[in-house]
Structure formats: structure tokens, C-alpha cells
Amino acid sequence: MVRDGYYYGFALVAVAVLVRLLTGGWAWTAVPFLLAAFFLWFFRDPRREIPQGEGLVVSPADGKLTEIARVQTPGGERLRLSIFLSVFNVHVNRAPVAGTILGVTYQHGLYLNAMNPDSAEKNEQNTVVLGTDDGYEISFKQIAGLLARRIVFNKREGDRVQRGDRVGLIKFGSRTDLLLPGNFEVLVQNGQKVKGGSTVLARGPVVGGERTETSD
């Protein structure tokens, strides 16, 4: 359970108790109790088994892949994988690879529907750049959606993270984009449902030409 879930849940339980004391009945307590149950469920943080193997990139979020595309950036060709998170998905973000955080850039913006392609550039977002031990730069964006109103990132520039580590949270519906070097091999298909920290999205070249395979 993410800590925020306890804050929302217990606060609403307190509201329900107060309503019960003021009205003398239970009928009006149904709404705050239901909302409390929803928030406790929404902020769930299930344990995940992190795949092992050289060069693997795991999903930074739960949700559905809505785009796999090659895009041109100032740093060259990149692979962009977009994951849409509905209100029913786990909203904890995880590190896609092991490495060092090279940069964290927050951008104020709009709250367009996360399914809208313009949301990747215009919405409120937080971009994180990771440097891997193999010398690659991999970045991911936490993008606020129509309902999301807060992006949380718990790490700082210079911090070391391991593949699958919890790094943040986007509250309510949102989107997460992953940018990989153009020579990485994508192992998933558009429209596929993925789980943060456990679904392998791609595999990159490994220094020395050796690669450890993992079983599905």
C-alpha cells in the first residue's frame, strides 16, 4: 500500500464517523466509506518479481501499450513506447533499468486526456534520464492525464536505482512514455497489457556481445 492510500482512506473513515455522530444514523456514511475503500484499493502496491538478465528493460508502469514508434530526437533515433494507465491500474512507477539518474526535469502543463498524442508534449510531466552501466541513456516520462493532478517522484539526480525499483507515482488516470535507443529490440506488441517492474518490454545490446537469456 502506498502511504497516500492510508491518508485518504483514514481521513474518509474519520469523515464517516463524524457524519454518524452528527446525523445519528448510518445512511449518510455510505459515501465516505465507499470512497475510503476506493482509495485504499487505488493506492495498492503489489509485490512484483523482477526479471533477471543482461540488457532487459522492464515496464515502468502498469497499463496498456498504446504506441510503439520510432521517433527522431536531437540525440538521434529513439524508440518510444507509450503506456496508458486507467484509473483501475496500479499507479506506482518503477525503474525500467538499473543505472544512475542523470537528470530529472519537471514541466508544468495541461491535463489533456492521456490517450491524446498531444499529451506527451503539452501535459504536466516529469522526465527522468537514466544512465545504464552499458553506457546507454534511457528516459521515461510520467505524464499527468485528464484526472491526474499530481506527479510524485521519490529519487534525485545522482541516485542509483535497480531494475524494478519503485521510483514514484502518478495519481489517477495518466500515461508513461519510455524512450529507448534505436538499436534496442522491442519484445512486446502494441495493445498489450503490461505490469510495472515485471513485464520485459525490450532488450538492448550488451557490452562484450554476451547476453543472458531469461525464461518467460
Side-chain angles (χ1 to χ4, degrees), residues 17 75 82 98 108 122-123 143 154 163-164 170 174 186 194 204 216:
V17 172
S82 297
H108 289 284
K122 296 181 179 180
N123 277 22
I143 304 171
N154 300 322
R163 179 191 301 153
I170 314 176
S174 51
V186 176
V194 297
D216 293 332

Side-chain angles (χ1 to χ4, degrees), residues 129-210:
V129 180
L130 286 167
T132 72
D133 294 337
D134 290 335
Y136 296 105
E137 286 192 4
I138 291 175
S139 61
F140 66 94
K141 289 183 179 181
Q142 300 171 286
I143 304 171
L146 183 64
L147 297 178
R149 286 297 184 270
R150 188 182 175 196
I151 294 173
V152 178
F153 187 69
N154 300 322
K155 302 294 183 179
R156 297 180 180 178
E157 185 174 332
D159 285 352
R160 173 81 182 176
V161 295
Q162 298 300 318
R163 179 191 301 153
D165 279 356
R166 297 171 178 84
V167 295
L169 171 78
I170 314 176
K171 295 185 179 181
F172 310 109
S174 51
R175 170 177 167 173
T176 301
D177 279 3
L178 179 67
L179 284 175
L180 304 172
N183 61 344
F184 275 45
E185 177 188 5
V186 176
L187 302 177
V188 287
Q189 297 180 342
N190 197 26
Q192 182 174 333
K193 292 182 179 180
V194 297
K195 291 186 176 181
S198 63
T199 301
V200 177
L201 300 184
R203 179 168 52 196
V206 178
V207 174
E210 298 182 355

Side-chain angles (χ1 to χ4, degrees), residues 48-64:
R48 296 285 164 79
E49 184 174 348
I50 312 302
Q52 302 300 310
E54 297 294 327
L56 300 182
V57 181
V58 299
S59 179
D62 284 37
K64 180 179 178 180

